[in-house]
Short mmCIF file of all heavy atoms in Angstrom, two decimals:
data_model
loop_
_atom_site.label_atom_id
_atom_site.label_comp_id
_atom_site.label_asym_id
_atom_site.label_seq_id
_atom_site.Cartn_x
_atom_site.Cartn_y
_atom_site.Cartn_z
N LYS K 270 164.83 93.90 93.09
CA LYS K 270 163.63 93.44 92.39
C LYS K 270 163.92 93.44 90.89
O LYS K 270 164.29 94.48 90.32
CB LYS K 270 162.44 94.35 92.70
CG LYS K 270 161.13 93.87 92.11
CD LYS K 270 160.61 92.63 92.80
CE LYS K 270 159.22 92.28 92.32
NZ LYS K 270 158.71 91.03 92.93
N HIS K 273 160.39 91.06 85.19
CA HIS K 273 160.22 89.75 84.56
C HIS K 273 158.87 89.68 83.88
O HIS K 273 157.98 90.50 84.12
CB HIS K 273 160.33 88.63 85.62
CG HIS K 273 159.22 88.66 86.63
ND1 HIS K 273 159.18 89.60 87.66
CD2 HIS K 273 158.11 87.89 86.78
CE1 HIS K 273 158.10 89.39 88.38
NE2 HIS K 273 157.43 88.36 87.88
N VAL K 275 156.03 86.47 82.28
CA VAL K 275 155.71 85.04 82.21
C VAL K 275 154.84 84.79 80.99
O VAL K 275 153.85 85.50 80.77
CB VAL K 275 155.00 84.57 83.49
CG1 VAL K 275 154.67 83.08 83.39
CG2 VAL K 275 155.85 84.86 84.72
N LEU K 283 157.02 75.26 85.49
CA LEU K 283 157.72 76.53 85.36
C LEU K 283 159.14 76.34 84.85
O LEU K 283 159.88 75.47 85.33
CB LEU K 283 157.75 77.25 86.71
CG LEU K 283 158.44 78.61 86.74
CD1 LEU K 283 157.69 79.63 85.89
CD2 LEU K 283 158.56 79.12 88.18
N LEU K 284 159.53 77.18 83.91
CA LEU K 284 160.90 77.27 83.40
C LEU K 284 161.35 78.71 83.53
O LEU K 284 160.71 79.62 83.01
CB LEU K 284 160.95 76.82 81.94
CG LEU K 284 162.25 77.07 81.17
CD1 LEU K 284 163.41 76.32 81.80
CD2 LEU K 284 162.08 76.68 79.69
N VAL K 285 162.47 78.93 84.23
CA VAL K 285 163.02 80.27 84.45
C VAL K 285 164.23 80.43 83.53
O VAL K 285 165.12 79.58 83.50
CB VAL K 285 163.44 80.46 85.91
CG1 VAL K 285 164.06 81.85 86.12
CG2 VAL K 285 162.26 80.25 86.85
N LEU K 286 164.29 81.55 82.78
CA LEU K 286 165.37 81.78 81.84
C LEU K 286 166.01 83.14 82.08
O LEU K 286 165.32 84.15 82.17
CB LEU K 286 164.86 81.70 80.40
CG LEU K 286 164.34 80.33 79.94
CD1 LEU K 286 163.75 80.43 78.54
CD2 LEU K 286 165.43 79.28 79.99
N ARG K 309 155.53 77.02 81.35
CA ARG K 309 155.25 78.40 81.75
C ARG K 309 156.61 79.07 81.91
O ARG K 309 157.35 78.78 82.84
CB ARG K 309 154.47 78.38 83.07
CG ARG K 309 153.84 79.70 83.45
CD ARG K 309 152.87 79.49 84.60
NE ARG K 309 153.51 79.55 85.91
CZ ARG K 309 153.79 78.51 86.66
NH1 ARG K 309 153.53 77.28 86.24
NH2 ARG K 309 154.36 78.65 87.85
N LEU K 311 159.25 81.93 82.57
CA LEU K 311 159.52 83.19 83.25
C LEU K 311 160.89 83.69 82.79
O LEU K 311 161.90 83.02 83.01
CB LEU K 311 159.51 82.99 84.77
CG LEU K 311 159.65 84.23 85.66
CD1 LEU K 311 159.06 83.95 87.05
CD2 LEU K 311 161.10 84.71 85.82
N TYR K 313 163.59 86.99 82.97
CA TYR K 313 163.88 88.16 83.80
C TYR K 313 165.00 89.00 83.18
O TYR K 313 165.79 88.52 82.37
CB TYR K 313 164.26 87.74 85.23
CG TYR K 313 165.55 86.96 85.34
CD1 TYR K 313 166.78 87.60 85.46
CD2 TYR K 313 165.55 85.56 85.32
CE1 TYR K 313 167.97 86.88 85.56
CE2 TYR K 313 166.72 84.84 85.41
CZ TYR K 313 167.93 85.51 85.53
OH TYR K 313 169.11 84.80 85.62
N ALA K 333 170.94 85.44 92.29
CA ALA K 333 170.22 84.17 92.45
C ALA K 333 169.11 84.31 93.48
O ALA K 333 167.99 83.79 93.29
CB ALA K 333 171.19 83.07 92.87
N ALA K 334 169.38 85.02 94.56
CA ALA K 334 168.35 85.24 95.58
C ALA K 334 167.20 86.05 95.01
O ALA K 334 166.02 85.78 95.31
CB ALA K 334 168.96 85.95 96.79
N ALA K 335 167.50 87.04 94.18
CA ALA K 335 166.45 87.84 93.57
C ALA K 335 165.60 87.01 92.61
O ALA K 335 164.38 87.17 92.55
CB ALA K 335 167.07 89.03 92.83
N VAL K 336 166.23 86.11 91.87
CA VAL K 336 165.48 85.23 90.95
C VAL K 336 164.57 84.31 91.76
O VAL K 336 163.40 84.10 91.41
CB VAL K 336 166.44 84.44 90.06
CG1 VAL K 336 165.70 83.34 89.31
CG2 VAL K 336 167.13 85.38 89.07
N LEU K 337 165.08 83.76 92.84
CA LEU K 337 164.25 82.89 93.69
C LEU K 337 163.07 83.66 94.26
O LEU K 337 162.01 83.08 94.51
CB LEU K 337 165.09 82.28 94.81
CG LEU K 337 165.99 81.13 94.40
CD1 LEU K 337 166.94 80.75 95.53
CD2 LEU K 337 165.15 79.92 93.99
N GLY K 338 163.24 84.96 94.46
CA GLY K 338 162.13 85.78 94.93
C GLY K 338 161.00 85.91 93.93
O GLY K 338 159.89 86.30 94.28
N LEU K 339 161.27 85.60 92.66
CA LEU K 339 160.24 85.65 91.62
C LEU K 339 159.45 84.35 91.52
O LEU K 339 158.42 84.31 90.84
CB LEU K 339 160.89 85.93 90.25
CG LEU K 339 161.77 87.17 90.13
CD1 LEU K 339 162.39 87.23 88.74
CD2 LEU K 339 160.97 88.43 90.41
N VAL K 340 159.96 83.30 92.16
CA VAL K 340 159.40 81.96 92.00
C VAL K 340 158.65 81.56 93.26
O VAL K 340 159.18 81.66 94.36
CB VAL K 340 160.53 80.94 91.72
CG1 VAL K 340 159.95 79.54 91.55
CG2 VAL K 340 161.33 81.34 90.49
N GLU K 341 157.42 81.12 93.09
CA GLU K 341 156.66 80.65 94.23
C GLU K 341 157.20 79.30 94.70
O GLU K 341 158.14 78.75 94.11
CB GLU K 341 155.18 80.53 93.86
CG GLU K 341 154.54 81.88 93.53
CD GLU K 341 153.06 81.75 93.24
OE1 GLU K 341 152.53 80.63 93.31
OE2 GLU K 341 152.45 82.78 92.93
N ASP K 342 156.62 78.77 95.75
CA ASP K 342 157.11 77.54 96.36
C ASP K 342 156.72 76.35 95.49
O ASP K 342 155.76 75.64 95.76
CB ASP K 342 156.52 77.39 97.77
CG ASP K 342 157.12 76.21 98.50
OD1 ASP K 342 158.18 75.73 98.07
OD2 ASP K 342 156.52 75.75 99.49
N GLU K 343 157.48 76.14 94.42
CA GLU K 343 157.21 75.06 93.49
C GLU K 343 158.53 74.58 92.91
O GLU K 343 159.56 75.26 92.99
CB GLU K 343 156.27 75.51 92.37
CG GLU K 343 156.84 76.64 91.52
CD GLU K 343 155.87 77.09 90.43
OE1 GLU K 343 155.42 76.24 89.65
OE2 GLU K 343 155.56 78.30 90.38
N ARG K 344 158.51 73.42 92.30
CA ARG K 344 159.68 72.95 91.58
C ARG K 344 159.71 73.61 90.21
O ARG K 344 158.68 73.92 89.64
CB ARG K 344 159.67 71.42 91.44
CG ARG K 344 159.78 70.69 92.76
CD ARG K 344 159.84 69.20 92.56
NE ARG K 344 161.13 68.79 92.03
CZ ARG K 344 161.32 68.06 90.95
NH1 ARG K 344 160.27 67.66 90.24
NH2 ARG K 344 162.53 67.71 90.55
N PHE K 345 160.89 73.81 89.68
CA PHE K 345 161.02 74.50 88.41
C PHE K 345 162.32 74.09 87.73
O PHE K 345 163.25 73.59 88.37
CB PHE K 345 161.00 76.02 88.61
CG PHE K 345 162.07 76.53 89.55
CD1 PHE K 345 163.29 76.98 89.06
CD2 PHE K 345 161.86 76.55 90.92
CE1 PHE K 345 164.28 77.43 89.92
CE2 PHE K 345 162.84 77.00 91.79
CZ PHE K 345 164.06 77.45 91.29
N ALA K 346 162.37 74.30 86.43
CA ALA K 346 163.61 74.19 85.68
C ALA K 346 164.16 75.59 85.50
O ALA K 346 163.42 76.58 85.52
CB ALA K 346 163.36 73.53 84.33
N ILE K 347 165.47 75.69 85.33
CA ILE K 347 166.08 77.01 85.18
C ILE K 347 167.24 76.93 84.21
O ILE K 347 167.94 75.91 84.13
CB ILE K 347 166.55 77.56 86.55
CG1 ILE K 347 167.01 79.02 86.41
CG2 ILE K 347 167.63 76.69 87.17
CD1 ILE K 347 167.21 79.72 87.74
N VAL K 360 171.50 79.09 91.63
CA VAL K 360 170.18 78.71 92.12
C VAL K 360 170.12 77.19 92.36
O VAL K 360 169.60 76.73 93.37
CB VAL K 360 169.09 79.15 91.13
CG1 VAL K 360 167.75 78.50 91.47
CG2 VAL K 360 168.95 80.68 91.14
N VAL K 364 169.08 75.71 96.09
CA VAL K 364 167.83 74.97 96.36
C VAL K 364 167.80 73.69 95.52
O VAL K 364 166.96 73.53 94.63
CB VAL K 364 166.59 75.84 96.09
CG1 VAL K 364 166.46 76.94 97.13
CG2 VAL K 364 166.64 76.47 94.68
N ARG K 367 164.52 71.78 94.64
CA ARG K 367 163.45 72.42 93.88
C ARG K 367 163.76 72.52 92.39
O ARG K 367 162.85 72.76 91.59
CB ARG K 367 163.20 73.83 94.44
CG ARG K 367 162.61 73.83 95.85
CD ARG K 367 162.37 75.24 96.33
NE ARG K 367 161.45 75.97 95.47
CZ ARG K 367 161.28 77.27 95.50
NH1 ARG K 367 161.97 78.02 96.34
NH2 ARG K 367 160.41 77.86 94.68
N VAL K 368 165.00 72.36 92.01
CA VAL K 368 165.37 72.52 90.60
C VAL K 368 165.30 71.17 89.90
O VAL K 368 166.06 70.25 90.19
CB VAL K 368 166.78 73.12 90.47
CG1 VAL K 368 167.19 73.20 89.00
CG2 VAL K 368 166.82 74.51 91.10
#
Side-chain angles (χ1 to χ4, degrees):
K270 185 70 173 177
H273 65 284
V275 180
L283 180 65
L284 169 62
V285 179
L286 295 175
R309 193 168 86 256
L311 185 157
Y313 65 87
V336 169
L337 283 171
L339 305 176
V340 180
E341 296 183 0
D342 186 17
E343 61 181 306
R344 295 183 73 233
F345 58 94
I347 188 168
V360 168
V364 290
R367 293 181 60 194
V368 177

